[in-house]
């Protein structure tokens, strides 16, 4: 084994006088022994230089057909969030709860410190000051990510506000979340690098009490862009509980009716279940308009008027590529046409463009697939990984709402919960009240997708679409949701709905056409908010009364619509034991309010 001289590295002049940050940066450099340290300044020039390095290293391929856009492929083992390697290291195990992996924080720090020792050898250590949300928010949500991955730097520059302006706003004493990341692939002198270095050992670790993040071994978005899931959901959810607000896995959209009534709607669907699609919807119902505020994360706080206001903390879109096409999500297609994007694990066309399954009805005759192999329409495997992604500045979105940039956020009128269920869950159901809506969210279920490693298509509970992202005990999280409604004026709270675009017929076909047609469901939601349409009360909540869901001009026979909205008591009786099993898993922290909701549901179904 070769040994290396551990020369003390010279730190560049730092663009900050924040003593805590300076100390952390120098300690980290000492531990990880990079070749050099670079502070990310947020300039276009530095961004370009790092991209040039990535092209030179063979990680990025510049696309001829899209302005300032790049293709890259990850290591085939590093393609999604690793939920089994994700930990909430609270001081007490009980505070992580039954849905998170836990390890004693001290023990975890020791493991990670050993992994980080010398882990940046031969590489550059980048320091990325960033803010999630508005720089001029009442209390800006600062973070600093240290990483040895230039791919992460480029992606963070798109997804967050980064650089010197953040340091200036932080001044010498602001609190920030230290977010440590390494791909865990030191380079020995003379050793050739690979296009996507990573490590088989992976840890994605949140310390919710000290508000710290440590990630090792993966370069994939959700594991490595630490401002996103790790900070804006896991750490932020713990902050939100302490401070009386909500950090949620939700899109935010602005809906304008033909008579110019404006409503803001938030919706929580599990990963790869349609948030980005709904956020950029082009409604097919005449006169209705959707504008985008966010496609993945919403922070919701009470305003002075007692209403719940949402902001999107992100600056970019990190969307699922396959299935995104001119017919399903034309606004996402326009956003990526506008340039400045990074595409990961999609296919390359021969003329320097990108392609993925579902982009066009006919695939090109020849592609380079995400493994770098030749691909033709007769190839056995898809050209793109099912969790391949586009990373694009949100300002590219052609229907971005002006309010996107308002630090005060927008008042939310309705919250939609939804999952991917072949059976049981109707197209749309309105909850009876906030507690019942919280019950709907807490029992949300969905078939698993490729967005996380593991089996695909298995029904699991994914409460509020937050199962992988709740930074503390899920039972406490449900109680926090209930408490948010308790002190509030019920009239001012958002009304909660449960939707399911994915119900199937006996032949496995979707009962509801989805996509742009989902605007019809949004219309029904607004008409309910305005008291303009009737609903039928069922044991599970209020579903559209016959004739109230506008299907004019839609080629859908009444029978299929009936099947899509139907509440089948037998299916629901079969669902009850699954919900009970879930409640048992949460255990004694399950709020009594939700146990009462379950008992009431059973009584209404005659299943008590
Ligand atoms: P994350 O970004 O991982 O959190 O996921 P997301 O919720 O943003 O998922 P996205 O909008 O990218 O949806 C991905 C998948 O859902 C794609 O396979 C889409 O084709 C499918 N999808 C979205 N909307 C609909 C719909 O209305 N009907 C049907 N059948 N499929 C849909
Ligand atoms: Mn997501
Ligand atoms: Mn998305």
């Amino acid at each position: 084994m070769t040994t290396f001289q551990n020369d003390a590295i010279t730190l560049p002049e730092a663009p900050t006088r924040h003593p805590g940050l300076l100390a952390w940066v120098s300690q980290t450099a000492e531990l990880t022994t990079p070749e050099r340290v670079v502070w990310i300044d947020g300039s276009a020039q530095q961004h370009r230089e790092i991209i040039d390095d990535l092209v030179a290293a063979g990680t990025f391929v510049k696309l001829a057909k899209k302005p300032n856009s790049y293709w890259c492929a990850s290591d085939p083992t590093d393609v999604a969030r690793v939920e089994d390697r994700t930990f909430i290291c609270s001081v007490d195990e009980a505070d992580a709860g039954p849905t998170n992996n836990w390890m004693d924080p001290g023990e975890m720090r020791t493991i990670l410190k050993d992994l980080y020792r010398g882990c940046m050898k031969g590489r550059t250590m980048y320091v990325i000051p960033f803010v999630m949300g508005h720089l001029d928010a009442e209390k800006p949500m600062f973070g600093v990510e240290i990483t040895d991955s230039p791919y992460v730097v480029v992606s963070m520059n798109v997804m967050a506000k980064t650089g010197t302006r953040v340091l200036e706003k932080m001044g010498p004493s602001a609190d920030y979340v230290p977010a440590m990341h390494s791909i865990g692939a030191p380079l020995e002198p003379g050793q050739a690098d690979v296009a996507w270095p990573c490590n088989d050992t992976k840890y994605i670790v949140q310390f919710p009490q000290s508000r710290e993040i440590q990630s090792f071994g993966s370069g994939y978005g959700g594991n490595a862009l630490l401002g996103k899931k790790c900070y804006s959901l896991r750490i932020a959810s713990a902050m939100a509980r302490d401070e009386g607000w909500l950090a949620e896995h939700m899109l935010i959209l602005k809906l304008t009716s033909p008579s110019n009534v404006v409503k803001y709607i938030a919706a929580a669907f599990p990963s790869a279940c349609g948030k980005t699609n709904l956020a950029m919807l082009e409604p097919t119902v005449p006169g209705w308009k959707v504008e985008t505020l966010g496609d993945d994360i919403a922070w919701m706080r009470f305003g002075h008027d007692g209403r719940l206001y949402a902001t999107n903390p992100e600056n970019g879109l990190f969307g699922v590529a396959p299935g995104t096409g001119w017919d399903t999500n034309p606004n996402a297609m326009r956003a990526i046409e506008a340039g400045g994007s990074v595409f990961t694990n999609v296919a390359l066309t021969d003329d320097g463009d990108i392609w993925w399954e579902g982009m066009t009805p006919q695939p090109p005759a020849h592609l380079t697939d995400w493994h770098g192999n030749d691909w033709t329409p007769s190839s056995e495997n898809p050209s793109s990984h099912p969790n391949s992604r586009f990373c694009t500045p949100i300002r590219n979105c052609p229907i971005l709402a002006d309010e996107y940039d308002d630090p005060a956020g927008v008042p939310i009128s309705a919250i939609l919960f939804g999952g991917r269920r072949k059976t049981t869950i109707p197209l749309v159901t309105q909850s009876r009240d906030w507690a019942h809506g919280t019950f709907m969210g807490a029992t949300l279920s969905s078939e698993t997708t490729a967005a996380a490693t593991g089996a695909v298509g298995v029904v699991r509970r994914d409460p509020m679409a937050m199962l992988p992202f709740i930074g503390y005990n899920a039972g406490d999280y449900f109680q926090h949701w209930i408490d948010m409604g308790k002190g509030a004026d019920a009239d001012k709270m958002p009304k909660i709905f449960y939707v399911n675009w994915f119900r199937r017929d006996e032949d496995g076909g979707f009962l509801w056409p989805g996509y742009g047609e989902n605007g019809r469901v949004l219309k029904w939601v607004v008409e309910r908010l305005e008291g303009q349409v009737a609903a039928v009360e069922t044991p599970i909540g209020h579903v559209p009364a016959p004739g109230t869901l506008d299907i004019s001009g839609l080629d859908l026979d009444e029978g299929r619509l009936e099947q899509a909205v139907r509440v089948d008591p037998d299916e629901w009786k079969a669902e009850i034991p699954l919900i009970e099993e879930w409640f048992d898993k949460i255990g004694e922290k399950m709020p009594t309010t939700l146990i009462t909701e379950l008992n009431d549901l059973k009584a209404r179904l005659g299943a008590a």
Side-chain angles (χ1 to χ4, degrees):
M1 212 174 92
T2 346
T3 51
F4 291 98
Q5 210 183 323
N6 192 355
D7 296 39
I9 77 149
T10 331
L11 292 173
E13 199 184 328
T16 175
R17 287 166 55 202
H18 191 302
L21 175 54
L22 289 170
W24 180 55
V25 167
S26 70
Q27 282 157 16
T28 304
E30 215 168 284
L31 175 67
T32 61
T33 65
E35 207 165 84
R36 59 189 191 128
V37 174
V38 170
W39 287 79
I40 296 307
D41 61 17
S43 70
Q45 190 193 328
Q46 187 190 48
H47 187 70
R48 253 194 326 269
E49 284 166 10
I50 294 170
I51 286 175
D52 290 345
D53 292 347
L54 281 159
V55 172
T59 305
F60 274 14
V61 172
K62 187 167 169 42
L63 297 175
K65 294 280 175 172
K66 300 235 182 317
N68 300 317
S69 296
Y70 299 86
W71 172 92
C72 76
S74 76
D75 184 284
T77 63
D78 196 23
V79 293
R81 286 184 293 101
V82 282
E83 294 182 5
D84 57 330
R85 305 302 306 156
T86 300
F87 293 81
I88 299 297
C89 291
S90 45
V91 174
D92 292 327
E93 183 170 6
D95 288 330
T99 60
N100 287 309
N101 300 310
W102 177 86
M103 199 188 284
D104 173 75
E107 207 175 305
M108 181 61 92
R109 282 178 202 281
T110 306
I111 290 174
L112 284 164
K113 196 165 185 185
D114 285 343
L115 290 170
Y116 286 141
R117 190 165 292 116
C119 72
M120 294 189 184
K121 193 175 290 172
R123 298 194 182 277
T124 301
M125 175 176 127
Y126 301 94
V127 184
I128 318 171
F130 66 92
V131 66
M132 300 311 295
H134 217 286
L135 200 52
D136 296 321
E138 215 167 288
K139 182 182 158 248
M141 300 285 270
F142 296 119
V144 178
E145 176 161 358
I146 288 181
T147 182
D148 51 8
S149 162
Y151 169 88
V152 166
V153 174
V154 170
S155 307
M156 279 293 286
N157 277 342
V158 174
M159 297 305 296
K161 299 181 183 89
T162 59
T164 311
R165 61 180 167 151
V166 176
L167 288 177
E168 279 164 6
K169 187 86 185 178
M170 278 173 68
S173 58
D175 286 338
Y176 66 96
V177 169
M180 169 66 191
H181 171 254
S182 173
I183 50 175
L187 277 176
E188 310 301 342
Q191 184 186 341
D193 204 359
V194 294
W196 187 279
C198 61
N199 196 304
D200 287 343
T201 300
K202 292 177 173 53
Y203 282 95
I204 318 300
V205 182
Q206 285 71 206
F207 301 94
Q209 281 129 334
S210 54
R211 324 282 203 220
E212 289 170 83
I213 302 160
Q214 298 192 357
S215 168
F216 182 87
S218 170
Y220 172 77
N223 303 324
L225 313 181
L226 303 184
K228 192 171 176 53
K229 303 302 191 180
C230 301
Y231 185 162
S232 294
L233 289 176
R234 298 195 189 99
I235 296 291
S237 66
M239 293 174 161
R241 185 232 354 222
D242 295 349
E243 299 166 6
W245 52 283
L246 293 168
E248 299 296 328
H249 192 201
M250 290 182 183
L251 67 92
I252 311 166
L253 63 82
K254 175 183 182 181
L255 184 64
T256 308
S257 80
S259 52
N260 277 321
V261 174
V262 171
K263 299 282 181 201
Y264 299 98
I265 296 177
F269 310 152
S271 296
C273 291
K275 285 183 301 301
T276 300
N277 275 271
L278 191 68
M280 299 188 192
L281 189 83
E282 283 195 342
T284 51
V285 260
W288 289 76
K289 184 168 85 175
V290 165
E291 290 161 272
T292 310
L293 285 113
D295 81 323
D296 199 53
I297 299 175
W299 289 347
M300 295 189 286
R301 303 166 198 265
F302 283 109
H304 298 299
D305 61 357
R307 299 188 68 187
L308 211 46
Y309 283 73
T311 56
N312 167 20
E314 297 191 286
N315 210 35
L317 307 165
F318 189 73
V320 179
T324 307
W326 289 102
D327 51 342
T328 57
N329 192 347
N331 289 315
M333 295 303 290
R334 288 178 196 119
I336 65 174
E337 289 293 315
S341 309
V342 177
F343 300 93
T344 307
N345 293 336
V346 305
L348 255 184
T349 67
D350 296 346
D351 60 351
D353 207 346
I354 35 94
W355 192 84
W356 50 69
E357 279 65 30
M359 180 190 280
T360 54
Q362 290 303 318
H366 180 263
L367 292 167
T368 304
D369 74 10
W370 72 282
H371 289 289
N373 298 326
D374 283 324
W375 188 94
T376 66
S378 61
S379 294
E380 216 172 288
N381 295 314
S383 69
S384 305
H385 187 274
N387 192 42
S388 54
R389 299 265 168 171
F390 57 84
C391 177
T392 300
I394 197 164
R395 288 187 190 284
N396 282 6
C397 175
I399 56 162
L400 190 66
D402 294 338
E403 301 89 322
Y404 160 76
D405 209 24
D406 187 344
V410 293
I412 298 297
S413 294
I415 291 173
L416 315 184
F417 290 121
R420 197 180 266 272
R421 286 293 303 268
K422 294 187 174 77
T423 67
T424 319
I425 313 292
L427 180 62
V428 56
T429 313
Q430 183 177 5
S431 67
R432 309 154 80 87
D433 53 28
W434 183 262
H436 181 226
T438 301
F439 174 79
M440 283 178 166
T443 56
L444 189 116
S445 56
S446 195
E447 289 139 21
T448 50
T449 67
T453 52
V456 168
V458 182
V459 173
R460 70 170 184 184
R461 297 295 129 182
D462 192 341
M464 284 80 173
M466 281 284 282
L467 181 70
F469 309 122
I470 301 170
Y472 55 102
N473 187 301
D476 290 335
Y477 170 77
F478 299 150
Q479 187 62 55
H480 178 53
W481 261 82
I482 290 166
D483 293 344
M484 288 288 290
K486 259 189 194 150
D489 180 342
D491 288 342
K492 291 182 177 170
M493 287 302 274
K495 304 298 171 284
I496 299 178
F497 297 78
Y498 195 153
V499 300
N500 178 22
W501 317 139
F502 299 92
R503 204 171 188 180
R504 311 283 187 119
D505 61 21
E506 305 80 50
D507 303 327
F510 291 111
L511 281 165
W512 176 250
Y515 301 104
E517 307 300 351
N518 294 335
R520 298 169 187 276
V521 175
L522 296 181
K523 178 183 177 199
W524 188 81
V525 165
V526 170
E527 288 172 347
R528 285 296 294 164
L529 296 173
E530 300 282 283
Q532 293 166 341
V533 288
V536 178
E537 185 166 358
T538 78
I540 64 161
H542 298 89
V543 300
T548 59
L549 196 75
D550 183 353
I551 54 162
S552 54
L554 179 63
D555 187 17
L556 177 76
D557 68 56
E558 283 285 346
R560 286 183 81 77
L561 179 64
E562 223 169 88
Q563 271 186 289
V565 299
R566 132 187 138 268
V567 178
D568 182 327
D570 290 333
E571 285 182 337
W572 275 94
K573 281 178 190 163
E575 190 78 5
I576 296 293
L578 304 176
I579 298 175
E580 285 175 331
E581 193 184 313
W582 168 235
F583 275 38
D584 286 346
K585 180 170 175 178
I586 301 302
E588 58 184 22
K589 290 240 183 186
M590 190 49 118
T592 48
T593 310
L594 297 186
I595 295 169
T596 306
E597 287 290 338
L598 176 58
N599 289 334
D600 290 353
L601 172 63
K602 283 159 66 176
R604 292 194 298 264
L605 284 166

